[in-house]
Amino acid sequence: REEIPQISSMPPPIERKKPSLFETIVNEEGALNSPPDLFESILEEEAPSQFPPPRESPRNIIQPPPQQHLKGGAVIAEGYILRNRLRLLQSLGEGWLGRVFLAEDVFFGGRYAVKILHKHFSYHQDFIHKFIQEFHKIECLYHPGIVNPYALDSDDETQEIFYRMEFLSGKTLKHELEERTKDQTKPPFDSKEIISFLESMATILTYAHKNKTIHRNLKPSNIFLLRSKEGLVIKILDFGFSKHLNRLNSPLLSDHFGSLYYVAPELQSGEESNSPTSDVFAMGVILYHMLTGSLPVGMSPPPSKVFSQFPQKLDRVLAKAMHMHWQNRHPSVNDLLSDVRNALSPKGQVVQLTL
């Protein structure tokens, strides 16, 4: 009979590292669901000609290994390599929620735009939630006129949260307006260009509105103009302030951070509005700016008083689009397009907007 050897002592307990705030929030969402890898995004098939309904967003992203927050005091700046893969080449801009960089894949050479949550927000659960929900919102919208997101992740070294999306090479409507308004003797955009622009915008926004998403932050700096073989392509950026109509909003998501001149009055006053007419208001302001070269601030003259080639009928169309009360505006962007087209091009003669 063999004797069973006695264990002299128990092994030391396994020390478990405390998960980061980002991991904690992600785990609260449900089961882990990993996003596509970088090379999978590069090789993914082209979008079909008929846009499918919005994709169901995954509830989670791949978790990075637990690390000490801001380990080693690393700083996110140009030259830094996120996740040992995405080298930050150039700062492209900065918003209230995060910074945007041009980044290059050090393995495959592809270029992307990378949005990184501001460092001072990475300690606050509400802002991390907001950043993650921003990614999921644009991920669910599948349209060539909306910037395409790829993956949401956090950096190993700094634990800062980021997502990457397609990099757009072109200029924003804001930059185009700045160039065209240098000559104040003529309208920045003529009637045919206005109709062409509004047709493209109406197509994109109608898709978003049908899928129960209101942008709420439309402005020239969020509208990107691209050249292609087919002509001018318009893409709308920054759906981060968008509102999903069938979602309950936290106090944070109820705040309205859009640019003041383009934000509808009901949003500025804190009124909960689920109407697409908030985007109609912003489009009215954008059109006024494109027609006159200035913003409709104070007692601004109507377009026909600024440039005589515009009919007074157009004045009434824009006044309706920018009405103080959302119930009195055009019910949709398509209705606005129809009225603008009738005012500017009664014969239906339209040309493509060119740069």
Side-chain angles (χ1 to χ4, degrees):
R1 180 179 178 181
E2 298 181 359
E3 294 185 0
I4 299 175
Q6 300 293 322
I7 300 176
S8 58
S9 62
M10 296 294 292
I14 299 175
E15 182 180 354
R16 299 185 181 274
K17 295 183 179 180
K18 184 178 179 181
S20 67
L21 182 57
F22 175 66
E23 293 175 311
T24 302
I25 292 174
V26 168
N27 286 333
E28 288 175 355
E29 299 286 342
L32 181 64
N33 197 340
S34 302
D37 194 72
L38 271 164
F39 71 89
E40 295 175 343
S41 298
I42 296 173
L43 299 176
E44 65 182 359
E45 297 180 354
E46 294 182 357
S49 57
Q50 296 297 324
F51 311 130
R55 298 169 293 186
E56 182 178 352
S57 173
R59 300 295 296 168
N60 283 105
I61 63 170
I62 192 167
Q63 299 181 59
Q67 298 284 341
Q68 182 66 29
H69 190 68
L70 299 180
K71 176 183 175 181
V75 177
I76 298 289
E78 293 178 6
Y80 185 81
I81 302 180
L82 288 169
R83 293 284 282 175
N84 297 317
R85 188 158 192 173
L86 295 171
R87 179 183 286 111
L88 304 182
L89 302 178
Q90 177 186 350
S91 174
L92 298 178
E94 184 172 338
W96 75 274
L97 190 60
R99 299 159 290 165
V100 180
F101 288 87
L102 169 62
E104 181 180 32
D105 186 334
V106 297
F107 295 120
F108 293 101
R111 290 195 169 191
Y112 304 90
V114 175
K115 186 167 185 178
I116 306 172
L117 180 67
H118 280 310
K119 181 178 177 180
H120 51 275
F121 287 156
S122 61
Y123 300 97
H124 299 275
Q125 182 171 344
D126 285 343
F127 288 104
I128 296 177
H129 270 299
K130 170 65 177 173
F131 194 77
I132 294 173
Q133 289 176 2
E134 172 183 294
F135 172 80
H136 287 324
K137 285 175 184 176
I138 59 175
E139 185 185 34
C140 289
L141 297 174
Y142 192 85
H143 191 283
I146 299 174
V147 65
N148 192 21
Y150 293 124
L152 174 68
D153 212 335
S154 69
D155 183 54
D156 284 333
E157 183 70 15
T158 66
Q159 285 293 294
E160 294 196 45
I161 307 167
F162 67 93
Y163 65 80
R164 60 185 177 89
M165 50 191 169
E166 64 176 316
F167 170 64
L168 304 177
S169 179
K171 67 173 92 174
T172 64
L173 178 60
K174 177 183 177 181
H175 293 145
E176 185 69 14
L177 274 167
E178 289 173 352
E179 293 179 8
R180 295 199 183 198
T181 51
K182 293 177 181 178
D183 183 1
Q184 300 183 358
T185 63
K186 62 180 181 179
F189 294 84
D190 62 32
S191 298
K192 296 177 181 179
E193 290 178 316
I194 289 292
I195 295 175
S196 176
F197 168 80
L198 187 53
E199 285 176 340
S200 297
M201 291 295 295
T203 300
I204 303 169
L205 291 175
T206 298
Y207 169 83
H209 294 166
K210 283 184 177 179
N211 290 296
K212 301 181 180 181
T213 300
I214 303 172
H215 192 286
R216 303 198 305 168
N217 192 35
L218 289 172
K219 55 185 178 180
S221 60
N222 281 339
I223 300 172
F224 215 87
L225 310 176
L226 302 167
R227 286 196 183 105
S228 71
K229 295 179 180 179
E230 293 75 23
L232 184 71
V233 176
I234 293 177
K235 281 186 177 280
I236 299 180
L237 313 177
D238 200 4
F239 270 81
F241 304 122
S242 64
K243 186 171 187 176
H244 204 280
L245 301 189
N246 60 5
R247 289 181 183 171
L248 295 176
N249 294 310
S250 68
L252 175 68
L253 298 182
S254 297
D255 293 336
H256 310 294
F257 295 97
S259 297
L260 179 63
Y261 296 119
Y262 304 92
V263 177
E266 65 271 14
L267 300 182
Q268 294 188 36
S269 64
E271 178 183 342
E272 287 299 329
S273 172
N274 290 343
S275 172
T277 57
S278 298
D279 287 346
V280 171
F281 179 91
M283 285 305 306
V285 178
I286 292 171
L287 290 176
Y288 183 94
H289 197 176
M290 294 174 69
L291 290 163
T292 67
S294 60
L295 289 165
V297 180
M299 300 298 292
S300 300
S304 65
K305 298 295 183 182
V306 181
F307 296 106
S308 59
Q309 59 262 51
F310 296 134
Q312 292 184 357
K313 186 177 181 180
L314 179 63
D315 301 341
R316 295 189 290 272
V317 173
L318 292 187
K320 180 177 180 180
M322 297 185 290
H323 200 282
M324 290 291 293
H325 302 291
W326 64 268
Q327 300 92 335
N328 297 329
R329 299 178 202 138
H330 300 85
S332 71
V333 183
N334 276 332
D335 291 309
L336 172 61
L337 168 63
S338 178
D339 282 358
V340 170
R341 186 188 285 126
N342 290 335
L344 292 178
S345 181
K347 296 182 180 179
Q349 297 177 354
V350 180
V351 298
Q352 179 71 28
L353 173 62
T354 57
L355 298 177

